[in-house]
Amino acid sequence: GNSVTQMEGPVTLSEEAFLTINCTYTATGYPSLFWYVQYPGEGLQLLLKATKADDKGSNKGFEATYRKETTSFHLEKGSVQVSDSAVYFCALNRGGGADGLTFGKGTHLIIQP
Amino acid sequence: EAGVAQSPRYKIIEKRQSVAFWCNPISGHATLYWYQQILGQGPKLLIQFQNNGVVDDSQLPKDRFSAERLKGVDSTLKIQPAKLEDSAVYLCASSFGGATNEKLFFGSGTQLSVL
C-alpha cells in the first residue's frame, strides 16, 4: 500500500521564522495528498490538500505543492506564530482502490515567542 | 454544528479483558472510520464504513477486534481479549463522502491503557 515519511520532531522555531516540514510519499498511481493538524487538546483537522500533480493547497498561511517528480508534499509557512504550535500529519490515500487515509508519524511543532 | 462524539474519554483495563468504544458521527455523514493511534505514531486505519456496510477492514485484527455500525449512524468498536499492545488512542472520524474528496472530522478519541 501507499506510505508517507515525514521529518521527525520536535521542530522548535521562534515566532515569525520560516517553516518547512518535509513529507515524501511512496504510492502507486496518483494519490491525493493531505496535511492534517492537531492543536493541543483538540481533534485532528484538515489543514490543506492537493489532488493532482503541481496543485498547491493553501490555508491559514500554510502552503504545500504536490511534486510528482520528487514525490514530495512539503508544508511551508512564511512567518509562524505561537498559535501554530501543534502536531502536523502528512497523509495520502491508502491505495489499491481503498479510500481511507494513511498518515505519517506526525511532526510536533513548537513556536517560541 | 455538533462534532464527532466519542465515549468513554479514557479507559483502563487489564490484559485479556474486553472493552468497547462508542462513536456518534456528524449527522448526515455516510462514511465512518475507526483509527488506532499508538503513542508517537500517526493514526492507522482499522475499519471504514459506508452507511452500515464495511468498505475496508483489511487492517483490522479480526481475531480480537470487531466493529459494527447499526442503522448507518452510531458505531461501536470492541476488543476481546485485549493485549498490552492495544494501548493507544482510538479515533473515530466521519465524512459526508469518501476521504479523497471530503474533509474528515475527527472525534477527541478514547485513550485505552491495557495493564
Side-chain angles (χ1 to χ4, degrees), chain A residues 32 34 36 38 41-46 49 51 89 93-94 98-106, chain B residues 33 35 37 40-43 45 48 56 58-59 91 98-108:
Chain A
S32 293
F34 307 82
Y36 274 76
Q38 186 168 30
E42 300 184 17
L44 274 161
Q45 55 187 279
L46 178 65
K49 73 174 187 180
T51 56
F89 294 89
N93 307 98
R94 293 209 328 106
D99 176 63
L101 300 185
T102 292
F103 288 85
K105 291 186 176 182
Chain B
Y33 309 81
Y35 281 87
Q37 186 174 15
Q41 298 183 21
L45 180 67
Q48 176 184 350
D56 182 0
S58 58
Q59 299 190 117
L91 298 168
T100 301
N101 297 315
E102 303 288 340
K103 182 191 309 187
L104 295 189
F105 291 82
F106 282 84
S108 298

Side-chain angles (χ1 to χ4, degrees), chain B residues 11-27:
Chain B
K11 191 72 178 179
I12 301 173
I13 62 172
E14 295 187 348
K15 60 182 178 183
R16 292 188 289 273
Q17 286 187 323
S18 302
V19 65
F21 313 125
W22 173 81
C23 172
N24 180 235
I26 291 173
S27 177

